Amino acid sequence: MQPVLSQPCSWMLQVLLMSNVLLWENVYSMPVCFDMEGYNDIPILELFDSAIFTAQYISNLTTQMAEEFDTKFAHSLGYRAKNFSTCHATSLATPANVEQIQQTQSDVLLKIMISISRAWYYPLKQLVRVVAILEGAYETLLLKVKEVKEANQDILEEIKAILIRVHPGAEEKVYTASMALADVRSTNEDIRRFVVSNLLHCLDSDIDKVATYLEVLKCRIIQNNKC
């Protein structure tokens, strides 16, 4: 029998676009509760290096997961889900090129990174759940998704620590956090696979932004743009 989603179709794009609406319909502002214990004595250079390493690690792991997942399931998805206009974090205003990044103030870049990381908090939790029950998924994929979820929390704490170090008082700000992603709970196995693939590619794109912003800020703050 031919897979339900074996051909690209407009209704599949509508599914993804609807998932964005469902994702953001329960949005609220979360206070940033900074726990600086364990970070106060770490040199700022080490904080940057650790955050950059974590971002690059997440990026590499996510790229690997996306490629492995598509290799196993893309035949039933119609096409590889790389339409980033359907990514839930696209509503966040982010610098699009090197010139815009250089023109963005340091505190603003750090807050953007915090918002990106927070936007993935609930989707990653739900991604763990859906991969755990996804028919045909392999155990190593679940372990990698869990690892990415934990690493995302680690990099969030590191970026918040950098923000406080560079801009004291930033703990009084609030950031947007996303809630549930509905379509990962669909009873249609092909829809769930499609959404998982799209999420992995979107995460890969977003974490690349974070890694790039961190590299720029390290050069700007630590090396006075002499790098």
Side-chain angles (χ1 to χ4, degrees), residues 2 15 27 32 36 44-45 57 75 81 90 102 108 111 113 123 128 135 147 151 162-163 174-175 184 191 198 210 216:
Q2 189 177 24
V15 165
V27 171
V32 177
M36 289 299 294
I44 187 69
L45 175 59
Y57 180 77
H75 65 280
T90 52
Q102 293 290 2
V108 174
K111 292 171 186 176
M113 286 185 275
V128 169
E135 183 178 346
E147 191 171 358
I162 293 172
L163 176 61
V174 294
Y175 301 92
V184 297
I191 288 179
N198 196 71
V210 172
V216 170

Side-chain angles (χ1 to χ4, degrees), residues 118-197:
R118 283 187 172 274
W120 280 99
Y121 179 78
Y122 288 102
L124 282 172
K125 288 183 68 174
Q126 295 199 350
L127 192 57
V128 169
R129 297 191 189 104
V130 74
V131 169
I133 62 172
L134 191 65
E135 183 178 346
Y138 38 95
E139 181 65 22
T140 54
L141 176 63
L142 178 59
L143 294 176
K144 290 174 182 176
V145 172
K146 289 180 178 180
E147 191 171 358
V148 167
K149 181 177 75 71
E150 296 302 320
N152 181 64
Q153 189 62 28
D154 291 340
I155 198 171
L156 173 61
E157 295 302 320
E158 290 169 341
I159 295 171
K160 289 191 293 185
I162 293 172
L163 176 61
I164 285 186
R165 189 74 60 84
V166 177
H167 295 279
E171 68 271 18
E172 298 175 0
K173 306 296 182 182
V174 294
Y175 301 92
T176 300
S178 59
M179 295 295 286
L181 183 63
D183 282 337
V184 297
R185 300 192 301 270
S186 172
T187 57
N188 186 305
E189 194 74 9
D190 281 324
I191 288 179
R192 286 193 293 181
R193 289 175 179 176
F194 194 95
V195 173
V196 168
S197 179

Side-chain angles (χ1 to χ4, degrees), residues 8-220:
C9 52
S10 59
W11 73 267
M12 175 50 64
L13 292 178
Q14 293 173 4
V15 165
L16 284 173
L17 291 172
M18 182 58 67
S19 71
N20 289 344
V21 175
L22 292 171
L23 173 66
W24 288 102
E25 70 177 344
N26 293 317
V27 171
Y28 68 103
S29 292
M30 291 180 63
V32 177
C33 301
F34 291 101
D35 182 5
M36 289 299 294
E37 185 177 357
Y39 290 101
N40 288 323
D41 298 328
I42 300 177
I44 187 69
L45 175 59
E46 290 186 20
L47 283 174
F48 268 108
D49 286 344
S50 179
I52 290 170
F53 175 84
T54 304
Q56 292 174 342
Y57 180 77
I58 295 174
S59 178
N60 291 336
L61 194 57
T62 304
T63 299
Q64 183 183 103
M65 285 192 295
E67 291 176 350
E68 291 176 355
F69 191 86
D70 285 346
T71 297
K72 187 173 180 64
F73 296 113
H75 65 280
S76 68
L77 302 181
Y79 67 98
R80 295 178 68 173
K82 288 186 176 180
N83 186 349
F84 297 132
S85 65
T86 63
C87 294
H88 69 275
T90 52
S91 61
L92 297 174
T94 59
N97 52 52
V98 174
E99 183 179 358
Q100 290 181 8
I101 296 172
Q102 293 290 2
Q103 292 174 350
T104 305
Q105 295 180 350
S106 299
D107 62 324
V108 174
L109 274 179
L110 288 163
K111 292 171 186 176
I112 288 172
M113 286 185 275
I114 290 172
S115 293
I116 291 174
S117 182
R118 283 187 172 274
W120 280 99
Y121 179 78
Y122 288 102
L124 282 172
K125 288 183 68 174
Q126 295 199 350
L127 192 57
V128 169
R129 297 191 189 104
V130 74
V131 169
I133 62 172
L134 191 65
E135 183 178 346
Y138 38 95
E139 181 65 22
T140 54
L141 176 63
L142 178 59
L143 294 176
K144 290 174 182 176
V145 172
K146 289 180 178 180
E147 191 171 358
V148 167
K149 181 177 75 71
E150 296 302 320
N152 181 64
Q153 189 62 28
D154 291 340
I155 198 171
L156 173 61
E157 295 302 320
E158 290 169 341
I159 295 171
K160 289 191 293 185
I162 293 172
L163 176 61
I164 285 186
R165 189 74 60 84
V166 177
H167 295 279
E171 68 271 18
E172 298 175 0
K173 306 296 182 182
V174 294
Y175 301 92
T176 300
S178 59
M179 295 295 286
L181 183 63
D183 282 337
V184 297
R185 300 192 301 270
S186 172
T187 57
N188 186 305
E189 194 74 9
D190 281 324
I191 288 179
R192 286 193 293 181
R193 289 175 179 176
F194 194 95
V195 173
V196 168
S197 179
N198 196 71
L199 279 173
L200 291 174
H201 286 292
C202 289
L203 176 59
D204 192 17
S205 176
D206 284 343
I207 200 62
D208 277 345
K209 292 179 184 178
V210 172
T212 299
Y213 298 164
L214 284 168
E215 292 277 10
V216 170
L217 285 182
K218 177 184 174 182
C219 178
R220 181 188 301 176

